[in-house]
Amino acid sequence: MSLIATTNDLLRTRHPERLVESLPTRQLILLLIVAGFAYGAIMGSYTLRPLQALFSGTKVPILLTASSIVCLPSFFVINTLLGLRDDFPVVFRALISTQLTMAIVLVSLAPFTAFAYLSVEDYNFAKVFNGIMFLVASLAGHVQLGRVYEPLIQRDPRHRIGRRAWLTLYIVVTIQLAWMLRPFVGAPGMPTAFFRDGVWDNAYVVVINEVWNLFTR
Amino acid sequence: MPTRALVIGGLVLGCIYGVFMGLYGATRPDTSSFLQLLATTLKVPLLFLLTLCVTFPSLYVFSALAGSRLKFEQTLRLLLAAVAINLALLASLGPVVGFFTLSTQSYPFMIVLNVIMLGFSGLWGLIFLRRALVHVFAPKEPDAPVTLDIAVDGSDIAPVEGPVKGQEGSSDDGSADVTVPLVGAPAIPILPGASPYARSLRRDRPEEPGLLVFRGWLVVYGVVGAQMGWVLRPFIGSPDLPFTWFREREGNFLQGLFDAIASLFS
């Protein structure tokens, strides 16, 4: 029950960084894993293969945490160079609350995903629909991050640069990570798998190649 | 009214309309099926229940994020009340549908008629919800100071409040005192109508995001409800097809509705 209470507090607080500080770390990790797994399991149930649902459920919490972990060191150095190191603990907690908000919003959107799978039997539609759900969740997380950053920026405009740096880093890394962690939905014709072949491919190179092929064919 | 009464009442009202809606399947000349009557009776309340199940979690999460004052239970009860009103009106339209069922053989006509009934009562439910929401999100009593949550330095300094008497009747809506305490800064008293900032403050009302979320949700609810009806079909039961609990996954609600309207005119 305390997980639900934590969820409620996280959604309603206007100072997520203080809430994150007051909660036990184990509780935060548990919430992220439970919420991420729940959405992932629904996401991976497109072909009704339990193993794929389990794989996708495992991968969403990884997606929500790993890119932040990769970006944190450079973000810390950027903050230090900007002379904002004193605020870093606050910003760090704000980032945790952002990822948690994303996970919570994703769970609340899971019924839509299940209903979309039920209504439309089209793999591409399923992919795009999940993309939209992740976009909505990211925007909600962004709003939560903004709540912490707004007063910080008012006090020191250099925080604006810090926030932009974080967003740029995070988006660039997350896109590649999401590509590596494919498949999330599970194409009907493809075997159930934790990773697709070519896991070490580069998302950006793939896109550039696609665009290149489009013009040279 | 307790939550359980709202749910049970809603289910019963849904079943009443379901009986009238399923009557067509039971009175078809060649392929009459009482199973269709039973199925429809169960499916109408299910339609509303499932639509709420799909749309409620995200509504609650987003309204909480947007700073809605309503607690989980309150939000749920508000929506249940709106659905109950929708179903009460729908059940009252049941005899009309029953009358047309007994006097009409046209299947496309019955589809369009039922869509109109469901749409009409749904609209009323949403109008009720909107009115309730405007009430819920309306600014509180005029004497309450409007608190803008601007933390200047992110520290825990208590807000300084200093209500200042306003000139009564000087503003359009008759609100009197508005004080904006800034956290960590001296309170800035604002007389209604005295400064352009006060006017802009009232125009974009700080508590509006919650209302905005609900408005967006009304659209989502309508779309999901319509598509849910399509997923749960058949409700009426085509005279050319044998009884089935559910049909194949294909098409969507709008496509089905347009087909029915087109066949009305052909």
Side-chain angles (χ1 to χ4, degrees), chain A residues 2-173:
Chain A
S2 65
L3 264 192
I4 290 175
T6 308
T7 307
N8 218 351
D9 291 346
L10 255 169
L11 291 173
R12 290 185 177 275
T13 180
R14 288 295 166 268
H15 298 285
E17 77 284 6
R18 287 180 211 165
L19 184 71
V20 166
E21 192 178 12
S22 69
L23 290 168
T25 314
R26 202 194 306 162
Q27 181 91 347
L28 298 175
I29 294 172
L30 191 66
L31 179 61
L32 190 107
I33 289 176
V34 169
F37 184 86
Y39 185 81
I42 299 279
M43 189 186 194
S45 59
Y46 178 71
T47 45
L48 296 177
R49 288 182 288 204
L51 198 60
Q52 186 64 59
L54 182 72
F55 286 163
S56 302
T58 315
K59 284 191 282 187
V60 170
I62 298 175
L63 180 68
L64 290 175
T65 44
S67 50
S68 302
I69 292 170
V70 170
C71 297
L72 264 179
S74 40
F75 185 56
F76 177 73
V77 172
I78 289 169
N79 270 277
T80 309
L81 292 178
L82 288 170
L84 302 168
R85 192 192 275 188
D86 290 347
D87 290 331
F88 193 76
V90 173
V91 172
F92 176 63
R93 285 183 213 114
L95 294 178
I96 294 174
S97 82
T98 303
Q99 297 310 99
L100 284 170
T101 307
M102 268 188 76
I104 294 167
V105 170
L106 275 177
V107 173
S108 79
L109 294 172
F112 285 123
T113 306
F115 184 58
Y117 286 178
L118 199 69
S119 303
V120 182
E121 203 174 1
D122 184 75
Y123 176 65
N124 281 321
F125 175 79
K127 271 199 299 189
V128 172
F129 193 88
N130 276 294
I132 295 170
M133 294 301 108
F134 269 92
L135 187 69
V136 171
S138 307
L139 288 177
H142 187 64
V143 169
Q144 191 80 310
L145 185 63
R147 276 185 186 143
V148 180
Y149 253 113
E150 223 154 80
L152 288 177
I153 290 173
Q154 273 184 10
R155 209 184 52 197
D156 191 337
R158 281 176 295 180
H159 272 296
R160 201 186 302 268
I161 304 171
R163 181 163 80 167
R164 282 193 192 143
W166 170 258
L167 281 180
T168 313
L169 272 171
Y170 179 77
I171 291 170
V172 169
V173 172

Side-chain angles (χ1 to χ4, degrees), chain B:
Chain B
M1 204 188 283
T3 311
R4 194 195 289 186
L6 277 173
V7 173
I8 294 174
L11 290 178
V12 171
L13 287 168
C15 288
I16 293 174
Y17 184 79
V19 170
F20 285 107
M21 197 180 189
L23 206 59
Y24 182 87
T27 57
R28 287 176 304 195
D30 303 328
T31 52
S32 78
S33 156
F34 277 95
L35 269 177
Q36 183 64 59
L37 184 67
L38 177 70
T40 310
T41 307
L42 298 175
K43 275 183 194 177
V44 172
L46 198 64
L47 166 69
F48 285 86
L49 197 67
L50 287 178
T51 306
L52 207 56
C53 287
V54 169
T55 52
F56 182 72
S58 48
L59 168 75
Y60 177 69
V61 164
F62 281 103
S63 69
L65 271 178
S68 157
R69 286 195 295 264
L70 295 179
K71 299 268 175 294
F72 184 85
E73 174 97 6
Q74 291 170 318
T75 315
L76 184 63
R77 281 162 57 85
L78 182 65
L79 293 175
L80 283 173
V83 170
I85 284 181
N86 179 349
L87 284 168
L89 184 59
L90 193 63
S92 75
L93 291 168
V96 179
V97 172
F99 167 73
F100 275 103
T101 301
L102 298 176
S103 58
T104 309
Q105 284 301 321
S106 167
Y107 174 62
F109 177 82
M110 289 314 294
I111 293 179
V112 175
L113 180 73
N114 274 294
V115 169
I116 290 172
M117 294 304 180
L118 284 158
F120 176 70
S121 58
L123 213 62
W124 270 92
L126 295 185
I127 287 171
F128 162 81
L129 186 61
R130 227 191 90 91
R131 220 183 293 155
L133 286 172
V134 168
H135 187 70
V136 166
F137 287 101
K140 289 212 165 168
E141 60 274 21
D143 283 326
V146 175
T147 308
L148 269 186
D149 203 3
I150 304 172
V152 172
D153 55 2
S155 64
D156 257 322
I157 302 170
V160 192
E161 291 185 9
V164 175
K165 266 268 167 281
Q167 300 123 307
E168 275 193 351
S170 63
S171 60
D172 314 330
D173 54 4
S175 68
D177 303 333
V178 183
T179 313
V180 182
L182 294 173
V183 177
I188 304 171
I190 294 166
L191 301 178
S195 79
Y197 179 60
R199 284 209 193 94
S200 75
L201 183 74
R202 202 171 306 114
R203 214 177 297 128
D204 357 282
R205 294 214 180 114
E207 64 271 26
E208 285 279 296
L211 193 54
L212 213 85
V213 166
F214 271 97
R215 282 203 188 126
W217 180 80
L218 294 185
V219 177
V220 174
Y221 177 82
V223 171
V224 171
Q227 183 61 27
M228 186 65 81
W230 181 259
V231 169
L232 290 178
R233 96 218 117 92
F235 279 89
I236 301 168
S238 165
D240 312 324
L241 297 170
F243 169 76
T244 48
W245 284 95
F246 297 104
R247 294 239 180 96
E248 288 282 305
R249 270 204 291 188
E250 49 148 14
N252 58 53
F253 167 75
L254 278 182
Q255 203 180 324
L257 180 61
F258 288 148
D259 285 351
I261 293 173
S263 59
L264 259 186
F265 289 106
S266 60

